Amino acid sequence: MVKLMQLFKAGLHLGHHKRQWNPKMASFLYGERNGIHILDLLQTAVYLENTCRFIGKILKRKKKVLLVGTKREAAELVATTAQRCNIRAPQGVHYVNHRWLGGMLTNWSTMKLCIAKLKQLDVRERTGDFLQLPKKEAAMCTKQRSRLQKYLGGVKNMDHLPHLVMIIGQPDELNAVYECRKLKIKNLTLLDSDCDPDLADFFIPSNDDSVEALDFILNTITLAVRREILMANDIPYNPFRNESTPV
């Protein structure tokens, strides 16, 4: 169970300056201090616990979850969270932590061709094929692979569209949000005081700018996913178990 003091220490209550707020977030605010909006942590705790159970159930059913967070504070945490979740739910969680490519979801057939090209280049590099090429051609292949890996590496093993997309930093990820809505893919969004709750199917009212706040939320979700999947397989849950081990 999430404790309010943990949320407070992680800074989940800190919103944006009142000049930047979205009036639609009024019902999720506790108040204002020194010109900064304060989010209601009671609501945050409830929504966070519901989210943990929800994502755990999705992954138990072998469905796909896509994490999207391209801003500097979120990028590394998004990749790490996906990798940690996949220890328990192999290939269940994918991520985009650099620029969202237009058509990532709505033009998935083209994206799959790009992913196939990335996998082909991976094989060629692994087998030493690049070493057999002229220097200039090898450099071009290496550059192409690096670029594809940067933008598509997190979805390289996503063989079909996700069941749920988790958005971190809604104002920066509106293209992803609109693609989800166009395809009727559910999105789960961290709602800071400058976000629009009408664009989210599910949400957690929370600070989405602080590394500490994002780390707390994503770590809480990761641990919940591990617990759900282990319990589904009748394996006793041990929060101190080394995550690199399979059980």
Side-chain angles (χ1 to χ4, degrees), residues 153-236:
V155 296
K156 184 162 55 176
N157 296 310
M158 189 171 77
D159 50 10
H160 56 77
L161 290 174
H163 179 75
L164 176 73
V165 176
M166 182 172 179
I167 305 288
I168 298 173
Q170 187 194 69
D172 299 313
E173 311 297 351
L174 287 177
N175 287 337
V177 173
Y178 293 142
E179 288 194 32
C180 287
R181 292 174 69 82
K182 183 174 182 179
L183 296 176
K184 294 182 169 53
I185 296 173
K186 300 297 184 183
N187 80 78
L188 187 157
T189 304
L190 296 189
L191 292 181
D192 209 329
S193 61
D194 63 340
C195 294
D196 184 351
D198 290 348
L199 295 178
D201 298 296
F202 310 101
F203 49 80
I204 305 171
S206 169
N207 177 349
D208 69 357
D209 295 303
S210 160
V211 173
E212 291 77 10
L214 294 176
D215 185 42
F216 179 86
I217 289 177
L218 294 175
N219 186 58
T220 300
I221 291 173
T222 300
L223 294 177
V225 165
R226 293 176 59 204
R227 181 171 58 249
E228 286 277 351
I229 293 174
L230 289 174
M231 291 174 65
N233 293 318
D234 294 324
I235 300 173

Side-chain angles (χ1 to χ4, degrees), residues 92-105:
V93 182
H94 308 271
Y95 66 93
V96 174
N97 66 339
H98 289 285
R99 183 169 63 90
W100 178 270
L101 301 179
M104 179 78 77
L105 300 179

Side-chain angles (χ1 to χ4, degrees), residues 22-35:
N22 187 321
K24 294 179 182 178
M25 287 295 295
S27 61
F28 302 106
L29 299 179
Y30 176 79
E32 173 196 324
R33 185 170 185 179
N34 298 327

Side-chain angles (χ1 to χ4, degrees), residues 15-243:
H16 285 267
H17 194 279
K18 61 182 181 180
R19 289 195 302 266
Q20 298 175 283
W21 83 308
N22 187 321
K24 294 179 182 178
M25 287 295 295
S27 61
F28 302 106
L29 299 179
Y30 176 79
E32 173 196 324
R33 185 170 185 179
N34 298 327
I36 302 296
H37 276 130
I38 305 299
L39 294 158
D40 183 355
L41 289 183
L42 286 173
Q43 294 192 63
T44 300
V46 171
Y47 282 108
L48 179 55
E49 288 192 3
N50 290 341
T51 294
C52 289
R53 287 193 292 269
F54 180 50
I55 293 180
K57 289 178 180 178
I58 288 175
L59 294 176
K60 279 197 300 185
R61 295 171 184 165
K62 311 296 184 184
K63 294 182 178 180
K64 307 290 185 183
V65 174
L66 177 63
L67 304 182
V68 180
T70 62
K71 60 183 180 180
R72 177 175 51 83
E73 296 85 355
E76 184 176 347
L77 292 172
V78 163
T80 301
T81 298
Q83 291 158 8
R84 290 177 64 199
C85 286
N86 284 336
I87 293 173
R88 305 300 176 193
Q91 310 310 328
V93 182
H94 308 271
Y95 66 93
V96 174
N97 66 339
H98 289 285
R99 183 169 63 90
W100 178 270
L101 301 179
M104 179 78 77
L105 300 179
T106 53
N107 195 13
W108 180 242
S109 58
T110 298
M111 288 298 159
K112 285 199 294 185
L113 295 177
C114 294
I115 291 171
K117 179 64 175 179
L118 171 58
K119 290 181 177 180
Q120 181 188 59
L121 290 171
D122 283 344
V123 171
R124 292 181 64 188
E125 183 184 52
R126 192 164 54 247
T127 57
D129 186 47
F130 287 0
L131 299 176
Q132 311 301 319
L133 299 174
K135 188 173 181 180
K136 185 175 181 180
E137 187 177 348
M140 289 177 60
C141 288
T142 299
K143 183 178 180 180
Q144 183 182 24
R145 181 193 169 278
S146 296
R147 180 176 174 78
L148 289 172
Q149 177 64 30
K150 179 178 180 179
Y151 295 114
L152 297 175
V155 296
K156 184 162 55 176
N157 296 310
M158 189 171 77
D159 50 10
H160 56 77
L161 290 174
H163 179 75
L164 176 73
V165 176
M166 182 172 179
I167 305 288
I168 298 173
Q170 187 194 69
D172 299 313
E173 311 297 351
L174 287 177
N175 287 337
V177 173
Y178 293 142
E179 288 194 32
C180 287
R181 292 174 69 82
K182 183 174 182 179
L183 296 176
K184 294 182 169 53
I185 296 173
K186 300 297 184 183
N187 80 78
L188 187 157
T189 304
L190 296 189
L191 292 181
D192 209 329
S193 61
D194 63 340
C195 294
D196 184 351
D198 290 348
L199 295 178
D201 298 296
F202 310 101
F203 49 80
I204 305 171
S206 169
N207 177 349
D208 69 357
D209 295 303
S210 160
V211 173
E212 291 77 10
L214 294 176
D215 185 42
F216 179 86
I217 289 177
L218 294 175
N219 186 58
T220 300
I221 291 173
T222 300
L223 294 177
V225 165
R226 293 176 59 204
R227 181 171 58 249
E228 286 277 351
I229 293 174
L230 289 174
M231 291 174 65
N233 293 318
D234 294 324
I235 300 173
Y237 173 65
N238 178 1
F240 303 105
R241 178 183 285 121
N242 186 335
E243 291 189 54

